[in-house]
Amino acid sequence: MAPRKIIIDTDPGQDDAVAILLALASPEEIEVLGITAVAGNVPLELTAKNARIVCELADHTHIPVYAGCDRPLNRELVTAEHVHGKTGLDGPVLPDPQMPLVDGHAVDFIIETLRVHESGTVTLCPLGPLTNIATAFQKAPDIVDRVQEIVLMGGAYFEVGNITPAAEFNIYVDPEAAEVVFNSGAHIVVMPLDVTHDALVTQQRNEAFRALNSKVGHAVAEMTDFFERFDKEKYGSEGAPLHDPCVTAYLIRPDLFSGRHINVQIETQSELTMGMTVADWWRVTKHPPNAMFMGEVDAEGFFALLTERLARL
Ligand code: BDR
Ligand code: CA
């Protein structure tokens, strides 16, 4: 089967970086048409830089990287340096990128790419706030029906929130954008915290990355070392949750994940629960399903896949 064509929309972020590396290491299943940066974990200037650092780490300097929206649709940007460090990619020491950003706005790249490819053949993979995707849908509503699928990391049901008691970071940062995307009618697959909090980099898994004994293996081990300090302290968990790589792993091995096709609405009014993904997991409303909301991951299978693929870079 031909590889799936995707655009990765991202705010790297150590876990975004691993998600990108997994995609670049998997050309049989995934063709990365481009990477679009958005403001999120750190401001846009840094996410656009970090996306190129990751491409260069993987020796994939031909991937076009575009800068996109530098703030949410109608809010101030909230960032997460407390998790990802000042650069967004703290941990390994990686060189500044030599590859330039491609001229033009990420949103226009998303629109043009969906228009030039056959309808239903391009998948969007958002790993950060949904600002770029929502802006593209608002600017060019004709592209929505052309999207094959949106596979995104965001939201939570049983795990509720990580940036507030009620909300997950990516959705919280731009709830209005999330509302546009979830109400767009596009086919959506969601990797919420319910899944990603089971994808933990234990010490053994971290050592497996390091044992690859490659530039990429060392960098991923150092990134997850950095990232896990915060999570261990906060959740008392065994290691850092690899949120965003669940998205790219799904494209390769969808059988590793299971969930429910349900209705998901986004809270945009209440300050208390802003950005909450109100997921009708128990189907208590008659609202039609708008998302495949994942609930479980085979963590052993996920890390086996990730380690095997990173070894190829
Ligand atoms: C999400 O927020 C970011 O900090 C991570 O990169 C991930 O996309 C997890 O809530
Ligand atoms: Ca992210």
Side-chain angles (χ1 to χ4, degrees), residues 205-225:
R205 290 166 180 163
N206 181 283
E207 277 160 17
F209 296 146
R210 207 176 298 273
L212 295 176
N213 211 8
S214 62
K215 200 167 64 159
V216 167
H218 284 291
V220 169
E222 285 164 18
M223 282 185 214
T224 52
D225 264 347

Side-chain angles (χ1 to χ4, degrees), residues 3-309:
R4 253 174 107 153
K5 297 183 199 307
I6 70 166
I7 297 174
I8 302 179
D9 187 68
T10 178
D11 63 338
Q14 293 88 348
D15 61 321
D16 302 72
V18 180
I20 295 168
L21 293 169
L22 176 57
L24 296 179
S26 307
E28 294 91 349
E29 295 93 353
I30 300 175
E31 180 184 351
V32 181
L33 300 176
I35 297 179
T36 51
V38 68
N41 285 323
V42 285
L44 180 68
E45 202 183 324
L46 287 172
T47 60
K49 177 179 172 186
N50 292 345
R52 288 174 291 146
I53 290 176
V54 176
C55 289
E56 291 191 2
L57 173 65
D59 288 327
H60 277 59
T61 51
H62 59 284
I63 304 283
V65 179
Y66 291 84
C69 300
D70 65 357
R71 70 191 64 187
L73 293 188
N74 43 29
R75 288 170 189 275
E76 291 298 311
L77 177 65
V78 175
T79 54
E81 284 88 354
H82 61 292
V83 183
H84 300 274
K86 213 160 149 277
T87 65
L89 215 51
D90 278 21
V93 179
L94 296 168
D96 279 352
Q98 299 301 308
M99 60 189 278
L101 280 172
V102 180
D103 284 344
H105 198 285
V107 166
D108 295 323
F109 170 73
I110 293 169
I111 293 171
E112 282 317 305
T113 305
L114 282 161
R115 283 182 179 160
V116 300
H117 286 85
E118 194 186 328
S119 184
T121 63
V122 175
T123 294
L124 303 178
C125 297
L127 310 177
L130 289 159
T131 321
N132 283 344
I133 309 297
T135 307
F137 284 3
Q138 286 179 330
K139 195 171 172 191
D142 60 288
I143 64 172
V144 176
D145 285 347
R146 304 185 67 83
V147 173
Q148 180 178 8
E149 200 169 41
I150 300 174
V151 185
L152 67 89
M153 191 280 136
Y157 180 68
F158 293 99
E159 292 282 310
V160 197
N162 61 355
I163 185 75
T164 75
E168 180 280 329
F169 179 79
N170 290 340
I171 306 296
Y172 176 77
V173 172
D174 200 345
E176 284 78 14
E179 187 176 45
V180 168
V181 172
F182 277 82
N183 290 339
S184 68
H187 191 276
I188 301 176
V189 177
V190 183
M191 294 294 166
L193 296 180
D194 309 318
V195 167
T196 69
H197 279 178
D198 281 336
L200 299 176
V201 186
T202 58
Q203 194 177 340
Q204 201 186 359
R205 290 166 180 163
N206 181 283
E207 277 160 17
F209 296 146
R210 207 176 298 273
L212 295 176
N213 211 8
S214 62
K215 200 167 64 159
V216 167
H218 284 291
V220 169
E222 285 164 18
M223 282 185 214
T224 52
D225 264 347
F226 180 87
F227 197 31
E228 85 173 6
R229 271 174 233 160
F230 171 81
D231 291 280
K232 273 185 163 167
E233 205 173 294
K234 181 172 172 193
Y235 301 108
S237 58
E238 282 182 288
L242 275 187
H243 305 284
D244 296 337
C246 290
V247 166
T248 41
Y250 175 80
L251 301 176
I252 304 166
R253 288 277 313 275
D255 59 299
L256 293 174
F257 301 87
S258 59
R260 294 187 183 185
H261 193 218
I262 56 171
N263 185 270
V264 181
Q265 298 297 321
I266 311 295
E267 177 58 64
T268 60
Q269 301 299 318
S270 154
E271 278 309 318
L272 184 63
T273 54
M274 186 63 70
M276 188 172 191
T277 42
V278 182
D280 190 4
W281 184 260
W282 301 109
R283 300 197 177 102
V284 295
T285 71
K286 297 269 181 291
H287 299 154
N290 59 348
M292 182 68 195
F293 200 84
M294 293 303 179
E296 282 182 47
V297 56
D298 166 359
E300 283 304 322
F302 169 77
F303 279 96
L305 172 72
L306 183 56
T307 313
E308 178 245 313
R309 294 302 164 101

